[in-house]
Each structure stands twice: as C-alpha cells, then as structure tokens.
Amino acid sequence: MFSADDIMGEALIDIQPLISAAMAYGDPEMFGNMQIGKWLKSDDNALIEDSIINIIDGKVKQDVQLKLQNVECGELHLEVEWLPLDQ
C-alpha cells in the first residue's frame, strides 16, 4: 500500500541528445525508419541502458529507461517524441 506522502523517487532526463538529433535531420518525414542518435549510459546519469533516438514513421522518438533515484528501487520507462513548435 502507498500513502499520499510516500516518496516515489526521482528521475532526470537529458533531452539535449534528442534535440540535437532532431535538429540535425530537419524534417523527419523525408526519411525512412532509422537510428539518428543515442544517449549513452554512464556513471553521471541514471540510464539502465543506452537510449536510442530513432525516426519512426516520420517522427523522432527516443526510448528511455531510467533507474529511480533516492528510493530503494524502481524504474521509469518512457517514450519521448520530438514535436517542433511550428506544428
């Protein structure tokens, strides 16, 4: 059971690799499905494994798996999608 004041952990995500990859390729709809970047696991981040940045169906997406910090255990699995401000 969880109570309202239970600490659920913390996770920090660096979106700079996603931004850099998306900006480098411009319009992702012009490309087929492909890997365009990677955020590498290191001692300085909470990644469980390297985070791959792909173009999938004309969209830039990144799968991220993070180990929660400041708690006994826990993981966070995310899919982050780049959306340009002009859309």
Side-chain angles (χ1 to χ4, degrees):
M1 290 292 285
F2 293 107
S3 66
D5 61 346
D6 282 342
I7 297 173
M8 301 300 291
E10 299 173 357
L12 296 175
I13 181 170
D14 181 3
I15 62 169
Q16 189 58 50
L18 176 69
I19 293 169
S20 297
M23 297 298 286
Y25 279 84
D27 183 5
E29 293 180 354
M30 296 175 28
F31 300 95
N33 293 354
M34 60 190 275
Q35 179 179 326
I36 60 170
K38 187 183 287 190
W39 179 24
L40 300 175
K41 177 184 174 186
S42 73
D43 293 334
D44 295 331
N45 60 47
L47 286 174
I48 295 170
E49 60 185 33
D50 291 347
S51 177
I52 307 299
I53 303 165
N54 294 303
I55 294 177
I56 301 172
D57 298 327
K59 298 177 181 178
V60 177
K61 296 183 179 186
Q62 180 178 11
D63 289 318
V64 182
Q65 297 180 25
L66 298 164
K67 183 178 183 315
L68 292 175
Q69 305 296 299
N70 302 319
V71 289
E72 187 175 319
C73 63
E75 296 178 358
L76 182 63
H77 297 250
L78 302 170
E79 180 182 80
V80 182
E81 183 177 329
W82 168 260
L83 295 173
L85 292 177
D86 59 351
Q87 287 189 350

